[in-house]
Amino acid sequence: MTKPIKLCNISDYQSFIDKFDTFLLDCDGVLWKGNDVIPGVQESLSYMRKKGKKLLFVTNNSAKSRANYLEKFKKLNIEAYEDEIFGSSYASAYYLKNVLKFPKEKKIYIVGESGIADELALEGIRHCGFSDNMQTFKSDDIVSDPEVGAVICGIDHYVNYTKLAKALHYLKTNSDCIFLVTNDDATYPFKDYIAPGAGSIAASIIKALGREPDGIMGKPNKPMMDCIAQKFKLNNERTCMIGDRLETDVQFGINGGISTLAVLTGITAEKDFIVNDAPIVPDYYMSSFGDFSKLF
Amino acid sequence: MTKPIKLCNISDYQSFIDKFDTFLLDCDGVLWKGNDVIPGVQESLSYMRKKGKKLLFVTNNSAKSRANYLEKFKKLNIEAYEDEIFGSSYASAYYLKNVLKFPKEKKIYIVGESGIADELALEGIRHCGFSDNMQTFKSDDIVSDPEVGAVICGIDHYVNYTKLAKALHYLKTNSDCIFLVTNDDATYPFKDYIAPGAGSIAASIIKALGREPDGIMGKPNKPMMDCIAQKFKLNNERTCMIGDRLETDVQFGINGGISTLAVLTGITAEKDFIVNDAPIVPDYYMSSFGDFSKLF
């Protein structure tokens, strides 16, 4: 297996950046950690913009729409634009409309949060379920609705039994009802502990249904990359994914047939991919994305 | 593979009953369907009692305690006693106390309903979580509690994100915290539709935790049989499981090393086990448990 190339100095940084036109960037662990910007990040991004590079911020967070997620950039004083953000909620809406050609007369049942509802609405796709916030399950709440043509499940901090039962009912009884999951993250870091992720909410529906989803959108899966490639007409040879997680970010780049750069400011350490039997190896790695600021 | 023996007439019924001292009985699909008693059931049970047979009613329903479940028998006018009922909520409490010797100073976090809380209380085991009915997740709700020594997950029509996050937090951070699931049923029939079962609620925690439970109590798993065998000092040679489901009831009997009788008043049809490559085959089968009433 080829060893990854380490970017160590200004000359490495320059020749790396010259190789690509488009950079897909993970956010948490690359640009910031929690509420703290990683030093040099603003300057690194500015340098890339000055060089005419296309930047796309790719996140599995389905709770937020692109507009919501942009607020995080503003709060941290990082330059970004709504059209540069590609979240799993938007990817789901884009995929339904442009890849699956979801019929106008059908609607989506959401087990998830406002990000999904907002992005579906922006694509002109009708939805329901988002307001099913009943605390107690009543059997009468489960009524058939033949208009539901797909169920989307994402992270849902308001999940309840009624939502799970409705999702199951539609998927079991509506013919050709599509089952999409925004991302398969089992957990996510929340303040100082680990909380269940979208993949854990979806696991309930998968178990009850007895089959896998028709599509899992988020990194490392192919559907999100297909949407990005279709929308932005990527040239794979000139595109690089930059992230801190091997299983999601680097694998996403590998699955999509583009180059990959791992940074060591998040989850992954050098030892995780430098060993001989490492299952996932990036093409390049460097200490911090902020180090590109040395070119500025 | 040995073909199952069909019980067809009074002589078959008599010699079958003479072979055993103890009968474990599934309820829904054997004794009743929904709210209707299957004809002849009361007389069949009376005959067995008259012959001095020990009867045990074994259910995966974890929402109810034995006392709650007895009310169903009363409503349907079927003779039964609390000590004859063995539900997965009671099995969980019994297993913790008598098999795992759960320490007095520890407590259980419940993702489930009153049946589990009631049965734990009756065994003198402290519990919490049952009243965590918050509709909205607040990060401050997740606080460490080193006294939690086990998490039990069962069917929970009041499930919410906070419960799932707390369960995960205790299992991840409390050393040796035990993870029990009352039963692995993916779904259960609810009125005229199929609703998510205990196994589907547990699937969220399993996915987030990244490992299987330390024990799954209900049929067809061994822990419930171990509890029954320990409490009632079963003689396997003289015990038979009677049920309508091959995957739960008949497999439960096979796993427990006792004889099995399938009835055709519920889920299973003769064709499901009479074919050559049937994966689960009972020792005996008959049209209806109510047919034993012909002996009466």
Side-chain angles (χ1 to χ4, degrees):
Chain A
M1 184 169 280
T2 321
K3 292 272 182 205
I5 296 164
K6 185 172 185 177
L7 310 184
C8 301
N9 53 47
I10 290 185
S11 157
D12 293 344
Y13 304 154
Q14 189 66 65
S15 64
F16 170 81
I17 285 181
D18 289 345
K19 282 197 181 76
F20 303 103
D21 300 325
T22 304
F23 294 101
L24 312 186
L25 292 120
D26 177 45
C27 303
D28 202 1
V30 177
L31 308 183
W32 60 71
K33 292 196 79 162
N35 287 316
D36 302 312
V37 182
I38 290 168
V41 157
Q42 283 106 330
E43 295 82 356
S44 297
L45 292 172
S46 290
Y47 182 79
M48 288 178 161
R49 290 186 188 281
K50 212 178 68 177
K51 288 284 176 184
K53 306 299 179 184
K54 173 87 193 151
L55 304 178
L56 292 171
F57 303 100
V58 183
T59 172
N60 274 2
N61 184 336
S62 72
K64 292 180 175 171
S65 64
R66 291 163 298 164
N68 297 147
Y69 206 65
L70 188 60
E71 287 166 24
K72 173 92 181 182
F73 285 79
K74 284 186 180 156
K75 208 175 101 185
L76 297 179
N77 200 28
I78 299 174
E79 187 183 354
Y81 304 91
E82 192 171 319
D83 200 46
E84 291 176 339
I85 295 170
F86 215 92
S88 65
S89 51
Y90 174 62
S92 302
Y94 185 93
Y95 187 74
L96 278 162
K97 185 175 180 178
N98 299 291
V99 179
L100 299 181
K101 314 283 182 194
F102 190 72
K104 278 266 178 208
E105 68 276 14
K106 296 273 185 178
K107 63 186 177 186
I108 310 289
Y109 187 78
I110 300 173
V111 180
E113 301 194 17
S114 64
I116 301 173
D118 292 349
E119 295 290 8
L120 287 174
L122 285 170
E123 297 294 314
I125 301 172
R126 293 185 304 142
H127 61 80
C128 58
F130 171 54
S131 57
D132 280 345
N133 285 329
M134 49 284 281
Q135 196 173 310
T136 305
F137 174 63
K138 291 187 209 74
S139 62
D140 296 344
D141 290 335
I142 313 300
V143 288
S144 292
D145 185 345
E147 284 192 353
V148 173
V151 168
I152 296 185
C153 179
I155 181 71
D156 190 350
H157 296 92
Y158 306 83
V159 69
N160 57 46
Y161 190 85
T162 303
K163 287 189 184 184
L164 298 174
K166 280 190 171 185
L168 177 65
H169 185 61
Y170 299 136
L171 288 166
K172 271 196 170 291
T173 58
N174 290 7
S175 65
D176 302 322
C177 191
I178 297 160
F179 179 23
L180 293 187
V181 175
T182 58
N183 62 297
D184 194 38
D185 298 11
T187 59
Y188 73 101
F190 193 91
K191 300 204 171 174
D192 54 348
Y193 52 87
I194 298 294
S200 294
I201 307 297
S204 276
I205 303 173
I206 292 168
K207 171 83 178 183
L209 192 59
R211 71 168 175 90
E212 293 300 311
D214 298 303
I216 303 171
M217 298 304 306
K219 298 175 286 183
N221 301 290
K222 197 90 182 0
M224 188 135 91
M225 187 66 89
D226 292 343
C227 292
I228 294 173
Q230 181 174 330
K231 180 168 178 180
F232 297 101
K233 303 181 177 41
L234 291 190
N235 173 355
N236 282 8
E237 307 266 297
R238 301 278 301 165
T239 303
C240 185
M241 173 71 208
I242 303 174
D244 70 311
R245 286 173 180 257
L246 298 177
E247 302 77 16
T248 44
D249 302 319
V250 172
Q251 190 63 54
F252 181 59
I254 293 169
N255 291 347
I258 63 174
S259 296
T260 55
L261 167 70
V263 297
L264 306 179
T265 41
I267 290 284
T268 300
E270 194 173 359
K271 66 170 173 49
D272 297 333
F273 53 76
I274 210 78
V275 292
N276 269 327
D277 57 348
I280 305 171
V281 180
D283 298 309
Y284 304 90
Y285 71 106
M286 68 193 296
S287 298
S288 166
F289 177 73
D291 290 346
F292 287 128
S293 64
K294 291 172 186 164
L295 294 168
F296 194 61
Chain B
M1 184 171 277
T2 321
K3 292 271 181 206
I5 297 163
K6 184 171 186 177
L7 310 183
C8 300
N9 53 47
I10 290 184
S11 159
D12 292 345
Y13 303 154
Q14 189 65 64
S15 63
F16 170 81
I17 286 181
D18 289 345
K19 281 196 181 77
F20 303 103
D21 300 324
T22 304
F23 294 100
L24 313 186
L25 292 118
D26 177 44
C27 301
D28 201 3
V30 176
L31 308 182
W32 60 72
K33 292 196 80 161
N35 287 316
D36 301 311
V37 182
I38 290 168
V41 157
Q42 283 106 329
E43 295 83 356
S44 296
L45 292 172
S46 291
Y47 181 79
M48 287 177 162
R49 291 187 187 282
K50 213 179 68 179
K51 289 285 175 183
K53 307 298 178 185
K54 172 87 191 149
L55 303 178
L56 292 171
F57 304 100
V58 182
T59 172
N60 274 2
N61 184 335
S62 72
K64 292 179 174 171
S65 64
R66 291 164 297 165
N68 296 147
Y69 206 65
L70 187 60
E71 286 165 25
K72 173 92 182 182
F73 285 80
K74 283 185 182 156
K75 207 175 102 186
L76 296 179
N77 201 27
I78 299 173
E79 186 182 355
Y81 303 91
E82 193 172 318
D83 201 45
E84 291 176 340
I85 295 170
F86 216 91
S88 65
S89 50
Y90 174 62
S92 302
Y94 185 93
Y95 187 74
L96 278 162
K97 184 175 182 177
N98 299 290
V99 179
L100 298 181
K101 314 282 182 196
F102 190 72
K104 277 267 179 208
E105 68 276 14
K106 295 273 187 179
K107 63 186 176 186
I108 311 288
Y109 186 78
I110 299 173
V111 179
E113 301 194 18
S114 64
I116 300 173
D118 292 349
E119 295 290 7
L120 287 173
L122 284 169
E123 296 295 314
I125 301 173
R126 292 184 305 141
H127 61 80
C128 57
F130 170 54
S131 57
D132 280 346
N133 285 331
M134 50 284 282
Q135 196 173 311
T136 306
F137 174 64
K138 291 188 207 73
S139 62
D140 295 345
D141 290 336
I142 313 300
V143 288
S144 292
D145 185 345
E147 283 193 352
V148 173
V151 168
I152 296 184
C153 179
I155 181 72
D156 188 351
H157 297 91
Y158 306 82
V159 69
N160 57 46
Y161 190 85
T162 303
K163 286 189 185 185
L164 298 174
K166 280 190 172 184
L168 177 65
H169 186 61
Y170 299 137
L171 287 167
K172 270 196 169 291
T173 58
N174 290 6
S175 64
D176 303 323
C177 190
I178 297 160
F179 179 24
L180 293 186
V181 174
T182 58
N183 62 296
D184 194 38
D185 298 11
T187 59
Y188 73 100
F190 192 90
K191 300 203 172 173
D192 55 349
Y193 53 87
I194 298 294
S200 293
I201 307 296
S204 276
I205 303 172
I206 292 168
K207 171 83 178 182
L209 193 60
R211 71 168 174 90
E212 293 299 311
D214 298 302
I216 303 172
M217 298 305 304
K219 298 176 284 184
N221 302 289
K222 198 89 183 354
M224 187 135 92
M225 188 66 90
D226 291 343
C227 293
I228 295 173
Q230 180 173 332
K231 180 168 177 181
F232 297 102
K233 301 180 177 45
L234 291 189
N235 173 355
N236 283 6
E237 307 265 296
R238 301 278 301 165
T239 303
C240 186
M241 174 73 207
I242 302 175
D244 71 311
R245 286 173 180 257
L246 297 178
E247 301 77 17
T248 44
D249 301 319
V250 172
Q251 190 63 52
F252 181 61
I254 292 169
N255 290 348
I258 63 174
S259 296
T260 56
L261 168 70
V263 297
L264 305 178
T265 41
I267 290 284
T268 299
E270 193 173 0
K271 67 170 172 50
D272 297 332
F273 53 77
I274 211 78
V275 292
N276 269 327
D277 57 349
I280 305 170
V281 180
D283 298 309
Y284 304 91
Y285 72 106
M286 68 194 295
S287 299
S288 166
F289 177 73
D291 290 344
F292 287 128
S293 65
K294 292 171 185 163
L295 294 167
F296 193 62

